[in-house]
Every structure is written in structure tokens, then in C-alpha cells.
Amino acid sequence: MPQTEPVGPTEPTRARHALLAVHAHPDDESLWTGGLLARAADAGRPTAVVTCTDGELAGGGSFAAPGTRTKEWTEALEVLGVTSSAMLPYRDSGRRGQGPGSLCAAPFDDVVADLVERIRALRPTAVVTYDAAGVSGHLDHIRVHRATLAAVEAAAVPFLLPSHGPAWAVESVWLVTAPSSLVGHAAAIGLAPADVPSTPDERIAVPLDVRPWLAIKWAALRCHASEFDRGASVSAFADPALRQLGLGTEYFLHRPGPGAPTGAGVPSL
Ligand SMILES: [Zn+2]
């Protein structure tokens, strides 16, 4: 199992504009935020990814050899130009179960504490994670959403977890979501529209056009070869038209963080 590794950067001026994406499994960083991360790297902005599980199912049943998904994740992060990364020591809870060592079976406060430590080490301006439905409804995604929001709040409070680094107040939290207008296309990637959570288009704060970075995003996604080998939904994006439609824009809700300037509106992402 991958070990938790120290994350950087810790130099405050460089980290001031850092963007931290918190995800559940290898491939999520590319699928949901690959365009955002590639765009930020292009702009010289430090980026970090914390992935909470190694993507291997707790209790067995994994579809790739041990370590495969971690290796693919490392390659994808390199393609996306991610500055620093960490994988937390939990396992994939799967869509139905939890299993020993899984993210959903872990005490919630333990996951929050792990994320507080990362936030305080990285000192990001913005944190990105999933919406309340986990974008896709996956139990691990929902868990990551809740733990990340709790960690962003706790990280700003010096009284809490003082051994986990000096307090840091994140300015913005961005939640990846899917717009209702795209749900009708879910069948094209093998999903039943009724099973796909979504957000009314008018509620979305930022639809980010990432088509200039779509080739990089796709190259990062392709690093996750074991997902394609098992015929996961992402395989459908091999079709260029579907790729433009499904991956060319990333959609975000905005929530002010504890460090948001008073009276500020929605900042740029
Ligand atoms: Zn996932």
C-alpha cells in the first residue's frame, strides 16, 4: 500500500496562489479536473493533488495488479504538470460496500485530520473537490466532499489539531459538478440519466472551457490504462466528438472559504 508522503511546497509566497485538488481515486484528477490542473500549470501556478485511496478495492476484487493504479496516477500527474502530490493510505470503498481499510470505513475525523495536515503544509488559495453528490454518486467521492469541507474549516482554526501545522485559511472552495443540460448525454457513456446527479445550469458558478488543454487532459486520462482495459465509462471518450462534449468544459460550484475577503464575489478560478 502506498505510504503517505510529505507534500510541498512550503515556501509561502510561492504557495500563495496554489491550487489543491482533493480526489478519491486515481483517474479522478484527470477526468474531473485535468483541464483545470493543466491550465494552472501553464500559468505557472503551483498545483497539488491529494488522492485519498489507491483505487484498489478493499476486500479484493480489484481489476488491476497491485500498484498498477498508483503507477498510472503518478504518470498522469506528470502529464498534468502537478507540482506536488500525496496518496492517503485508504482503500477504495467500491460502489456498494466498504471493506476493511476503506475510506468509508475509516473514522471520519481521521480523514479530516489527514486533509488538515495537507492543507496546512500546502497553504493553497483554492481547494477543489466534488459536489455533495460526489459528481458521480460514488460513496468515496461523497466522503471526500464532506471530509474536504470539514478540513478546510478546521485548518483555519489554530485551536484544532495544533500538531498538524500552523493554521491556514483557504480563500475559495470549488466543487466539481455536472450540469443538468449534459445529463441527456449520459447514455453515450453507458450511464442511465436517472442515475446521474446533476446541478441546474443556472447554479453553476464557473463553466471552465478547457478545450485548449483537452489534449493534455486526454493524455493524462489515457495514463490510466487499466480503466480503459476494463471498459470503464471513460473509454467512451475515445470518440473525439464525445470527448469535446464531455471533457471540454469543467463545471464548478463556488463556496467561500474561511479566508475569503469580506464582501468578495465569486473570484476567478
Ligand atoms: Zn473516483
Side-chain angles (χ1 to χ4, degrees), residues 23-28 32 69 92 130 136 138 140-141:
H23 284 292
H25 314 108
D27 87 345
D28 289 323
W32 304 112
R69 300 205 69 191
D92 190 333
Y130 316 107
S136 66
H138 194 295
D140 283 336
H141 291 207

Side-chain angles (χ1 to χ4, degrees), residues 149-171:
L149 292 194
V152 164
E153 289 294 328
V157 180
F159 177 80
L160 298 173
L161 300 164
S163 63
H164 287 52
W168 180 255
V170 170
E171 292 183 13

